Amino acid sequence: EKRILNMAQKPVRERIAEALLLIKECYGLENDEQTIAAILTRREIGDVAGVTTETTIRTLSEFKAEKIIKLDGKKIKILNMSRLVKLANIID
């Protein structure tokens, strides 16, 4: 609950990064230890982050261009976990 409240006050890139980490935490990773073990629509990811579907698509594309993630249909592979964690700017 606290994490979601904190997420609402963050910039979009931080929100999307944290949403991906939260989804990874909830569903885990596939055997390759990089692919999130859940198939979610961009809308569902946006709902977790509290942003529009269009903003989610644009931000995920930016993360892909920066080689932080790889998109394969609805599957998301985290290529650079440390960068994603840094982007999420999580404060405990």
Side-chain angles (χ1 to χ4, degrees):
E1 226 175 77
K2 181 181 172 187
R3 202 165 167 184
I4 291 171
L5 285 173
N6 287 338
M7 193 185 313
Q9 300 169 350
K10 291 182 170 192
V12 170
R13 285 174 58 88
E14 289 182 18
R15 287 186 194 184
I16 298 289
E18 187 166 353
L20 291 175
L21 293 171
L22 186 62
I23 293 165
K24 177 196 76 80
E25 207 173 277
C26 290
Y27 294 97
L29 296 172
E30 292 184 356
N31 291 335
D32 66 1
E33 296 296 321
Q34 288 185 307
T35 304
I36 296 174
I39 297 176
L40 298 172
T41 65
R42 303 307 185 244
R43 181 179 182 175
E44 291 167 330
I45 295 167
D47 288 346
V48 171
V51 300
T52 65
T53 304
E54 294 78 12
T55 300
T56 302
I57 292 167
R58 185 173 48 252
T59 306
L60 290 175
S61 293
E62 289 172 8
F63 288 178
K64 180 183 173 188
E66 295 169 31
K67 300 203 183 332
I68 298 168
I69 63 169
K70 179 180 180 185
L71 302 171
D72 185 15
K74 291 184 181 178
K75 293 216 173 233
I76 299 174
K77 180 183 271 192
I78 301 172
L79 300 176
N80 191 333
M81 182 65 75
S82 60
R83 179 85 194 281
L84 189 63
V85 169
K86 188 173 181 177
L87 268 173
N89 195 22
I90 299 170
I91 301 168
D92 287 328

